[in-house]
Amino acid sequence: MSRFFRRDNFSSSSDSESSGSSSDSDSSVNEVTQRPPASTSGARFSRAAFSSDDDSDDVKRVVKSPKQKQTEELVSMSRDIIKAVREDKWQAAAADFDKLRASAKKLSTILKGENMPRTFIRCLVVLEDSIEEKSKNKAELGKLSTTDARSFNQVKQRMRKYKDFDAQVSSERADPKGSDDEVDEGSEADSEEEQAAPAAASSSRGRAAPAPGKGKGRGKAAASDSESDSESESDSDEDSDADSSSEWGSESESDSDDDADAGAGFSRWLKKSPAKGGDVSKKAKKERPQRAAQPAAAAANKEEASEDEDDGFTTVGKRGKAVQGPVYSAEAINKFLTAYNSTRGRKGTDKKAAIAMLEKLLTYAANPLQKAKVLMALIAALFDDVPAASFMATDKWHKTQNSVNELLSVLESNRQVKVFETAEAHESDDDIKYSGEPISLRGSVIGFVDRLDDEFTKSLQNIDPHTPEYVERMRDTVPLYVTIVRAQHYFERCDLKDSICRIVLRRIEHLYYRTDQVNLHVEAAVADLPSQADSSIIPATAVGNMEAIIHSLCTYLYHNAEPLLRTRAMLMHIFNHALHKRYYVARDLMLMSHIQENVHQADVNTQVLYNRALAQLGLAAFRLGKIQESFDHTVELESSARQRELLAQGVSQQRTQQLSPSEELLQRQRQLPFHININLELLECVFLTSSMLLEIPYMASANANPEARRAPISRVFRRMLDFNERQVFLGPPENTRDYIMASAKALASGDWEAARDNIQEIKIWSLLPDCEEIKQMLAAKIQIEALRTYLFTYSSQFESVGLDDLSAMFGMNKNKIYPLLARMVYNGELQASLDEVSGVLVFNMANFEASSRLQQTALSLSNKVNSFADINERMFELKINGGQVPNERQQGNADHGGRQQGGERDGRQNQQRGGHRDGQRGSNNTGGNQGHHNRKDGGNAGGQRNGGGNRGGGRGRGQRRNNRR
C-alpha cells in the first residue's frame, strides 16, 4: 500500500508505532505487509488513524479568492490561445476567444481599474500581430483549411471591435518586458511551484514531528518505496523517463543519510535547482525522440534547420542515440529521386521539405544527365506546391522559370540528352558513369512551359489591374516569351511535331492582340538567342516584319496542327489583321474558313476567341467607314445581355438566372487578363453609332414603306430611342448613350450640324489610333444620312427640289449630291426623276404608293368611324332583341304562326324606317339609292356604302327585321 498512497498524511501515527532503531523499523514494515488486507485497511485508513495530537500540523484545504480564480482561468486560456495561434489552429483559438473575453470582463470588474495580467495582454498582442501577418501573406493564408480560414476571419472581425484594453496593449508594445517564450516559461514555473508548495509544507511538517532518533527506519522504507516506484515507472515508459528515473535513483542513493535527518515524504520530488556545470536549456529537455522514421526529404530539412538553430547541439533519438541525417552525394541521387517519386502525391507529404531536398541534390549533380533528372523533379515539385484554388506566388514563379531556363540550357548545351514524353523510363543506377552517349529521358518540357504560362495568366486574373502590382507583374511577359521561343527552338531541333504545334500556338497567343510596334520590341529580346539558327518556321526575310512573322507561325499550324489548333490559329490571325485595319483580308479569312458554321460545336475558349474576332472585325469595318458591315458584325454581341461572358471579360449577374458557386468559379477561371480585354464601352459606342446612321433614314422612309416601323433594323437602338422620347425632362448629355440619342434626334429633324457636334463630343473616340480620321468620316456620313432623311420626310410636300439648295443646306459638294440622288432613284427609294441639265430633282406624285400625311390621317379616321358605326348597330340590335342572338330569335318566331301578320305589319314599318335611314347614309356614295330600294322591297342586301360595295348579306335587313317581329 505504500506504493500507491501518500505517507505524509498518516506520518504521525505511523511514526508513533515505529521503533527508534533501523532493525525495529524493518520489522514493523514486515509486520505491515504480513497483516490481512481487511485489518490493514481498517486500522490504517479509519477516522481514528488520522485523528492524533498533531491535527494542527495536517495539510489544510487551500481557499482561493474570486480574484485568484479568475486570474488563473484567464492566464490559462491566454496560454491556450497563444499556443493555438502559433500552430495555426484558428478554430480552437476562435472557440477560446469568446470565453477569454467573458473571463476578462469579469476579472476587470473585480480588479476595478488595476492592470490585467501580462499573459492576457501578451495574448492580445500576439493575436493582432498574427492577424496582420496572415492578412499580408496571401500564400500562407491560402494554406489554411476551410474551417481554420473561416475561424481566422471570425477572430479578425472580433479583434477589430475589441478595444477594451488598447492602453495596456500599447504600453506592452512600447515596453515589452520579455518574449512570448519567457512569459510562458515563467507562468509554467509559477504553476509548478504552486503545485509543489502544499507537498513541501506537508513533508516539512512530517519531518518535524518525530524525534531526532526515530526517523531513520521510516526514511529507509520510503527510499525503498521510491526506488520501486521509479523502477515501475521506468519499465512502463522507458523511452520518455529513462533519464529522469536514473537521476532520481542516484539522488535516492546518495542522499539516504540526509533523509534520515530530514525525514521521509515528497521532499525528494520537489523541484531542485540544477548544478552549476550542468545547465541544459529547457527546450532541449523537452525534446523527445521520433517514434517513426521520417522520409529522407523531411530529415534533410530538419538537419538544415537544426544546423541553424541548435548551435552545436546534437539531435538524439531513442535510448539517447544520435540521429544520423541523410548523406548527399552524386552516387545517392538516384536513391533520393526514387524515394521522392514514391511519396509524391501522397497525403501528408511535406512538399517544402521535398523542394529543399531537391535543391540540395542539384548541387551534387555530377553530369548533365543527373542535372536534367533533378531539374525535372524540382520543377514538378514546385508546381505541386501550388494550392488548387489559388495561383503561384511571384517569387516561386520566378524560381520555377529559372529552373525551366536552366533545364533548357542543359538540353541546349548537351544535345545528346533528349527529353520527350514517349521515351522509356531511365532507371539505371550508374548515372555517375555517364560519359556523353546519346540518351533519352521521359519528361514533358512542353508541359512545364504550358503550366508556367497558365500560372502567369492566373496571377494576372487575380491581381487588381488598377494597381502598380499588375504593372510590375506585366514585366515578366518578355522573359516568359523568351522561354517559349527557346522551347520552340529545342522542339524544332528534336523534331517533336506535336510539341512544336503547341508551343507555336503559345507564341501566337502572346503576339496576336498586340500592335506591331509593341511586338517588335518583344521580338528584339529573342533576336540574339544562340538557338535562333535552329528555327526553320520563320524565314530570315521575315525578321523585323511582324505581319510576316505571325503569318509564318499561323501557316505552319495550318499545315501541321490538329483541327482545334488550326481553328484557334485562324481566329487569332483574323484578330491580328482586323487590329491593324486590314479588314478585307480578315473578312476573307473568316468567310473562306467557314468557322461560323461549326463554331457552336467548339469548346468554350474557342467560342470566346470567335466572339473576340467578330468584335474586332466590327471595329475594323467602322474605322474604314463600312457602317453596314460594322453593324452586321456587332449586332449579335450587342443584342445579348451577356457581353461580358461572351468575351470572357467578367461575370454579369442576371435577375432570372443565378449561377452556382462552381459555375461562377468556372466563369472566372475563363476570364482573360485585363490588358487583353476589348473596351466594351467603345464597342457599344460603335454599334449605337452604326445603328443611328442606318435606323434614322429607315424610320423616315415610312411614307414610302409602311412596314418600316414594324421591322426595325436595330431593336436595341429603337428601344433606347423610344425610352428617351418618353422622358418628360431631358438634361444635357452626360455619357455615350446620351450623346448618341441627342444626335439621333437632331438627325431625324434634319439638323445635321447638331448631330455632328454631339457625335464628336464623345470622348471614347480617343481610344482609337486614328481618332481624327474617324471624326471626319462620321461628319461626312452624318451629312449624307441627314440628306436622305430630309428627302424621305418631305418628299410628299415638294414637287421638285434643286441640287444647289440641297448643297447649301447640307454643306456638301454638288458633285457628291448628284451620285447620291441618282443611287436613291435607281434603287427605288425615291419616286422621282433627276434632271441633269437644270439640276433639279422632280418628284412623281402620281406614282407614290402613299399620299401625304393629311390624306393618310383622313383615311385612318374614316376607317375608325366605320368600325364605330358597325359596333353601334350591333349593340342596338342586341338591345331591341332583348339580348338574344338574331338567329335564336328567328328560330323562336317560326313556332308561332299566329303572330305572322302582326310581324309583317311591324316589319313593313321597320323596313320603311330602316330603309329611309340607310338610304340617307347611302346618299353619300353611288350605291345609296339602290340600297334604299333594296331595303324597302326586302331585297337581298343593304345599300352599298362607301363606293357601292356589297354589305354582305343573304337577306335584306328589312326582311330580317320583319321576320323577327
Side-chain angles (χ1 to χ4, degrees), residues 819-847:
L820 174 62
L821 297 179
R823 185 169 61 250
M824 294 177 67
V825 172
Y826 179 79
N827 293 333
E829 296 176 352
L830 285 178
Q831 298 295 332
S833 59
L834 188 59
D835 189 353
E836 184 177 0
V837 177
S838 60
V840 175
L841 179 67
V842 182
F843 296 100
N844 189 1
M845 301 294 294
N847 295 330

Side-chain angles (χ1 to χ4, degrees), residues 471-660:
V471 180
E472 186 71 22
R473 193 72 175 98
M474 281 292 296
R475 295 182 179 179
D476 297 327
T477 305
V478 176
L480 178 59
Y481 182 77
V482 173
T483 303
I484 291 174
V485 174
R486 291 181 64 185
Q488 176 193 333
H489 297 164
Y490 169 73
F491 296 142
E492 288 185 62
R493 179 168 55 83
C494 296
D495 195 21
L496 303 174
K497 292 292 184 181
D498 183 56
S499 298
I500 293 174
C501 294
R502 291 169 61 184
I503 202 67
V504 166
L505 186 65
R506 287 280 178 179
R507 185 173 180 180
I508 298 174
E509 287 178 351
H510 281 263
L511 296 175
Y512 82 97
Y513 63 89
R514 298 194 185 111
T515 59
D516 289 344
Q517 293 81 2
V518 178
N519 285 333
L520 286 175
H521 290 285
V522 176
E523 283 292 328
V526 301
D528 300 333
L529 287 177
S531 59
Q532 186 71 27
D534 297 334
S535 178
S536 60
I537 297 178
I538 301 176
T541 57
V543 177
N545 186 358
M546 287 309 304
E547 182 181 357
I549 290 175
I550 295 178
H551 178 75
S552 301
L553 295 173
C554 293
T555 304
Y556 179 85
L557 293 179
Y558 298 156
H559 291 92
N560 299 281
E562 59 183 6
L564 177 60
L565 300 185
R566 285 203 305 267
T567 302
R568 292 184 63 84
M570 178 70 72
L571 292 172
M572 292 178 191
H573 205 183
I574 292 170
F575 188 98
N576 188 261
H577 281 307
L579 181 65
H580 294 89
K581 212 175 178 179
R582 298 188 289 267
Y583 169 72
Y584 296 103
V585 180
R587 182 196 63 183
D588 295 342
L589 276 176
M590 177 71 78
L591 295 177
M592 289 187 299
S593 61
H594 300 281
I595 296 177
Q596 63 274 13
E597 298 176 2
N598 301 319
V599 70
H600 61 278
Q601 300 177 355
D603 61 301
V604 177
N605 294 329
T606 305
Q607 292 181 12
V608 169
L609 191 56
Y610 173 78
N611 295 334
R612 287 171 54 81
L614 269 184
Q616 197 63 42
L617 273 174
L619 294 176
F622 186 82
R623 292 167 62 185
L624 292 176
K626 302 292 182 182
I627 302 300
Q628 183 65 51
E629 289 81 355
S630 176
F631 175 80
D632 293 339
H633 290 311
T634 57
V635 63
E636 189 174 356
L637 280 174
E638 292 298 326
S639 298
S640 173
R642 300 170 54 245
Q643 294 95 342
R644 295 182 179 274
E645 289 87 345
L646 295 176
L647 296 174
Q649 296 181 190
V651 180
S652 60
Q653 294 292 340
Q654 302 291 334
R655 293 183 179 179
T656 59
Q657 181 183 6
Q658 294 292 336
L659 296 177
S660 63

Side-chain angles (χ1 to χ4, degrees), residues 14-77:
S14 60
D15 289 342
S16 61
E17 295 175 359
S18 60
S19 60
S21 62
S22 60
S23 58
D24 296 338
S25 63
D26 294 336
S27 60
S28 64
V29 170
N30 295 331
E31 291 176 1
V32 169
T33 56
Q34 292 175 4
R35 290 175 183 174
S39 61
T40 303
S41 59
R44 185 178 297 271
F45 299 108
S46 61
R47 179 179 296 271
F50 288 94
S51 58
S52 62
D53 297 338
D54 298 330
D55 289 343
S56 60
D57 295 337
D58 291 342
V59 177
K60 296 181 180 180
R61 182 170 61 91
V62 178
V63 179
K64 296 181 180 179
S65 64
K67 178 180 178 180
Q68 292 176 340
K69 290 182 180 179
Q70 292 294 336
T71 302
E72 291 178 359
E73 182 181 359
L74 186 66
V75 169
S76 176
M77 285 189 291

Side-chain angles (χ1 to χ4, degrees), residues 574-803:
I574 292 170
F575 188 98
N576 188 261
H577 281 307
L579 181 65
H580 294 89
K581 212 175 178 179
R582 298 188 289 267
Y583 169 72
Y584 296 103
V585 180
R587 182 196 63 183
D588 295 342
L589 276 176
M590 177 71 78
L591 295 177
M592 289 187 299
S593 61
H594 300 281
I595 296 177
Q596 63 274 13
E597 298 176 2
N598 301 319
V599 70
H600 61 278
Q601 300 177 355
D603 61 301
V604 177
N605 294 329
T606 305
Q607 292 181 12
V608 169
L609 191 56
Y610 173 78
N611 295 334
R612 287 171 54 81
L614 269 184
Q616 197 63 42
L617 273 174
L619 294 176
F622 186 82
R623 292 167 62 185
L624 292 176
K626 302 292 182 182
I627 302 300
Q628 183 65 51
E629 289 81 355
S630 176
F631 175 80
D632 293 339
H633 290 311
T634 57
V635 63
E636 189 174 356
L637 280 174
E638 292 298 326
S639 298
S640 173
R642 300 170 54 245
Q643 294 95 342
R644 295 182 179 274
E645 289 87 345
L646 295 176
L647 296 174
Q649 296 181 190
V651 180
S652 60
Q653 294 292 340
Q654 302 291 334
R655 293 183 179 179
T656 59
Q657 181 183 6
Q658 294 292 336
L659 296 177
S660 63
S662 59
E663 292 176 349
E664 185 175 356
L665 178 61
L666 193 61
Q667 288 279 0
R668 296 191 182 279
Q669 289 177 352
R670 294 196 191 107
Q671 292 181 14
L672 297 175
F674 181 78
H675 66 283
I676 307 178
N677 291 353
I678 297 175
N679 194 306
L680 295 179
E681 186 178 357
L682 176 62
L683 189 63
E684 183 187 26
C685 181
V686 168
F687 168 72
L688 292 179
T689 305
S690 303
S691 301
M692 178 193 71
L693 295 176
L694 296 174
E695 189 73 30
I696 296 300
Y698 188 68
M699 292 171 61
S701 65
N703 292 333
N705 185 11
E707 299 296 329
R709 293 185 179 275
R710 300 180 185 178
I713 295 177
S714 174
R715 296 183 182 274
V716 176
F717 177 81
R718 184 72 68 87
R719 193 182 306 115
M720 291 182 182
L721 186 61
D722 294 341
F723 177 77
N724 187 270
E725 290 178 348
R726 289 195 302 268
Q727 298 299 315
V728 178
F729 174 77
L730 289 175
E734 298 179 353
N735 52 31
T736 302
R737 291 186 179 182
D738 293 344
Y739 278 111
I740 294 176
M741 293 299 109
S743 179
K745 289 182 178 180
L747 184 62
S749 62
D751 190 359
W752 68 274
E753 293 179 345
R756 178 199 61 189
D757 294 340
N758 285 324
I759 286 294
Q760 291 184 351
E761 284 291 330
I762 299 175
K763 298 180 180 180
I764 200 68
W765 301 126
S766 59
L767 297 179
L768 295 174
D770 43 3
C771 174
E772 295 301 327
E773 297 179 4
I774 290 175
K775 288 183 179 181
Q776 295 176 4
M777 179 269 296
L778 288 175
K781 291 290 183 183
I782 289 173
Q783 286 178 324
I784 294 173
E785 299 303 330
L787 175 59
R788 296 178 70 242
T789 304
Y790 180 81
L791 293 176
F792 287 140
T793 305
Y794 301 104
S795 60
S796 60
Q797 310 299 326
F798 295 98
E799 293 182 357
S800 63
V801 61
L803 300 185

Side-chain angles (χ1 to χ4, degrees), residues 109-130:
T109 304
I110 297 173
L111 293 178
K112 297 180 180 180
E114 297 181 8
N115 290 335
M116 299 292 288
R118 182 173 176 271
T119 306
F120 168 69
I121 301 301
R122 192 63 188 170
C123 175
L124 297 181
V125 173
V126 170
L127 279 174
E128 291 181 358
D129 295 343
S130 301

Side-chain angles (χ1 to χ4, degrees), residues 440-464:
S440 299
L441 299 177
R442 179 184 294 177
S444 179
V445 179
I446 182 63
F448 294 153
V449 178
D450 286 346
R451 181 69 184 276
L452 189 68
D453 191 16
D454 292 339
E455 291 295 338
F456 177 73
T457 304
K458 288 170 63 177
S459 65
L460 292 177
Q461 290 173 348
N462 289 273
I463 298 175
D464 187 0

